[in-house]
Amino acid sequence: AENGCCSFPCQNKGICLTGKTPGSYTCDCSNIDFYGKNCETPTLVKRIKLMLRPSSDTLHNWLVSSSLKWIWDIINNVEFLHNFLMKRIYLLRSNVVDSPPLYETIHDYPTLDATTNTTLYARTLPPVPLDCPTPMGTKGPKVLPDVEFLAKQFFTRTKFRPDPMGSSVLMAFFAQHFTHMFFKTDVKKGPEFTWSGHGVDVSSIYGRNVHEENLLRSYDSGKLKMQTINGEEYPMFTKDVPITMGYPPNHPDTLKFAMGHPFYGLMPGLFLYETIWMREHNRVCDIMKQEHPDWDDERLFQTGKLIILGETIKIVIEDYVEHLANYNIRIKFKPTVLFGESFQYQNKINAEFNHLYHWHPLMPDEFNISGTIYPIKDFIYHLELVLKHGTANFTDSLSRQRAGHMSHHNHGPYTINVLKETILHGRQLRLQSLNNYRKRFNLDPYTSFEELTGEKELASQLEKLYGDIDAVEFYVGILMEKRRAKNLFGGTIVEIGGPFSVKGLMSNAICSRQYWKPSTFGGEVGFNLIKTATLKTLFCNNIKGPCPLVSLRVPD
Ligand code: MNH
């Protein structure tokens, strides 16, 4: 007889334990407001709460509806209403994430490592048990579809499909630059392992450890070392600042820039963000030095780093998440609304969050920089393009070009292998099905392939391969899912990614009541740098001459 937990009998976050006789199981329904053999029955109070709770799609429709816009306009302008709703959104989202986490990537059951071992990703659902009839438990084929076939059939781009929301390539590089700060798989050891600091730690700017940070510093007035090229400030070369970076063999020394993350040499867009953030650090240090002429290099550096961290979170929430969510309520960074709430200021990066953030379809096949078309092969590793066109033109051009739609049939030749790797990693980690993840994140499981894709053709092709909607793999399902109204993505990315994102941003130490005050950031001036930071001012304060277009959405 098979493992009784293979059919995932326990509902509502109940935990399955195999019993003494083969095929038997018990569900642990402790502390979840459900009871019964499979934790299927809600307590009376929970039943009422569930009846009153709008579905995730209903809530989404309220948040994006044009006809309700006038109500949101009022809420946006009445501070106590807006504060109350921001608090509800922060808590509603982050409470979906287990904190501390229960599982990590190398055991099938709860371990202490889940919370203490930082070299492992956390994970939200345990793996499919090894001794199950099928890779997805009891449903679907005995052998999952061939990844080469999946890539060809569903994911290879034939014609570029732009993001329907008009996201810019500047948005795509923002996503990549920001998330590589904490999605750091230790590829030599395998998809279970990470060298992440498990949160927004600005290691992308200051390097992965104190050794690299020391190399990047100038030890003068708190600033980072930079060099002038074509009249603009840029990061140093690795020959001067010996940080290990992932450049190809025989790459010219004058293109090997030293940056906080070893992969940022890959793309001129990443190099652009890195350059701007480093300039911003030095600008902040100048301001702090004016405020505190008595401070030494060390204190200016450390305070500058705290301010850069604050600006990062502010810009991520108010420009980037605001763009991705596209809600009628203005999404704001207001750490104070969580003071006094039960909220854990700790975070661990989950493997599932990393998987769903593989947004390679955003990348176009060519880049239009000031009218010159660079095919992607002439763009990758060609950091000299930023020097040549200058940061103003480069920013302007990336703001005017559409990113791709994060969906099926939209992986270009340079990322299709990453897609295959991602699916294989998901299998190695034995990630549960898309539908099990939907249930875990309070979404209704899909009941048919057509409901998943929103059309018939792809649905029937997928059905031939997987047989059962409950057997569709997590990442495959995410890319095949129909788009939500007024959004870049399907509902699953938003409803799973949103909680991890809010949790990761708001649980940062600087959002806690002991940190979140002027004195942490060198006084009111430093605190205000954080509270007024925007993506536009980040670029414009650090680019000489007229301000370019700085936009996560391409203008009409
Ligand atoms: Mn990208 C990982 C190439 C753009 C998000 N990306 C990887 C890997 C490669 C890669 C190679 C490593 C795969 C592996 O061995 O597991 N990525 C690219 C290329 C482009 C690119 C060539 C542009 C062209 N990537 C993007 C963009 C995003 C993104 C845009 C947007 C968010 N990529 C990721 C994430 C990972 C990743 C997330 C996982 C990182 C990790 O776990 O270490």
Side-chain angles (χ1 to χ4, degrees), residues 285-455:
C285 286
D286 280 336
I287 296 171
M288 280 297 107
K289 198 177 175 174
Q290 292 252 310
E291 288 297 303
H292 302 281
D294 56 318
W295 280 8
D296 62 359
D297 167 74
E298 180 68 14
R299 184 149 193 194
L300 289 167
F301 172 78
Q302 298 296 351
T303 307
K305 187 173 174 179
L306 282 165
I307 294 171
I308 294 298
L309 169 58
E311 291 183 353
T312 300
I313 299 175
K314 166 87 175 173
I315 291 170
V316 167
I317 293 179
E318 298 199 2
D319 284 284
Y320 174 71
V321 175
E322 167 79 22
H323 169 79
L324 294 181
N326 195 34
Y327 292 155
N328 286 321
I329 183 171
R330 290 285 74 76
I331 301 188
K332 295 269 185 197
F333 178 36
K334 289 183 170 177
T336 52
V337 302
L338 288 176
F339 295 173
E341 297 297 319
S342 78
F343 180 76
Q344 292 280 331
Y345 288 94
Q346 60 167 305
N347 190 54
K348 211 147 185 242
I349 299 299
N350 282 240
E352 296 94 339
F353 188 29
N354 184 349
H355 273 244
L356 71 76
Y357 231 117
H358 281 63
W359 293 358
H360 295 94
L362 295 183
M363 276 296 125
D365 298 318
E366 56 187 35
F367 297 83
N368 179 340
I369 309 296
S370 303
T372 308
I373 307 289
Y374 298 97
I376 193 160
K377 76 169 171 44
D378 298 331
F379 199 72
I380 289 185
Y381 289 120
H382 283 277
L383 306 189
E384 78 277 11
L385 296 177
V386 180
L387 314 176
K388 180 180 152 189
H389 291 277
T391 50
N393 287 331
F394 213 88
T395 305
D396 197 84
S397 295
L398 297 186
S399 299
R400 293 180 194 279
Q401 185 176 342
R402 297 273 289 271
H405 184 189
M406 171 56 196
S407 179
H408 54 84
H409 294 102
N410 216 14
H411 274 78
Y414 279 79
T415 58
I416 193 75
N417 285 323
V418 189
L419 166 110
K420 295 178 206 164
E421 283 286 302
T422 309
I423 298 174
L424 290 173
H425 284 168
R427 293 178 185 182
Q428 200 175 329
L429 293 169
R430 289 180 277 126
L431 290 187
Q432 291 187 31
S433 65
L434 178 80
N435 264 348
N436 280 3
Y437 275 101
R438 286 183 59 86
K439 287 198 254 178
R440 170 61 182 76
F441 285 84
N442 304 324
L443 296 165
D444 292 331
Y446 285 119
T447 54
S448 71
F449 285 86
E450 278 183 35
E451 197 196 354
L452 166 68
T453 66
E455 51 76 84

Side-chain angles (χ1 to χ4, degrees), residues 492-540:
T492 309
I493 287 200
V494 179
E495 298 301 317
I496 301 182
F500 286 130
S501 166
V502 171
K503 172 69 184 173
L505 292 159
M506 298 309 296
S507 70
N508 195 284
I510 66 160
C511 301
S512 65
R513 70 189 309 153
Q514 63 275 25
Y515 274 73
W516 187 251
K517 50 178 79 169
S519 47
T520 305
F521 308 100
E524 285 296 346
V525 171
F527 205 23
N528 270 326
L529 286 172
I530 296 174
K531 291 199 272 190
T532 59
T534 67
L535 188 70
K536 187 173 156 63
T537 55
L538 170 69
F539 277 83
C540 293

Side-chain angles (χ1 to χ4, degrees), residues 78-107:
V78 180
E79 190 155 5
F80 84 94
L81 285 176
H82 187 269
N83 285 355
F84 175 79
L85 280 168
M86 273 325 299
K87 172 159 83 182
R88 293 328 310 168
I89 291 176
Y90 292 153
L91 290 174
L92 189 77
R93 288 297 195 193
S94 55
N95 284 341
V96 183
V97 175
D98 285 337
S99 180
L102 195 54
Y103 302 107
E104 29 71 2
T105 36
I106 59 174
H107 295 92

Side-chain angles (χ1 to χ4, degrees), residues 6-8 128 132-145 433 449 462-473:
C6 287
S7 60
F8 303 103
V128 178
C132 291
T134 71
M136 286 291 127
T138 55
K139 310 264 180 84
K142 290 224 177 297
V143 179
L144 288 169
S433 65
F449 285 86
L462 263 190
E463 184 156 18
K464 281 202 192 90
L465 292 173
Y466 286 96
D468 189 318
I469 187 67
D470 289 333
V472 174
E473 295 173 88

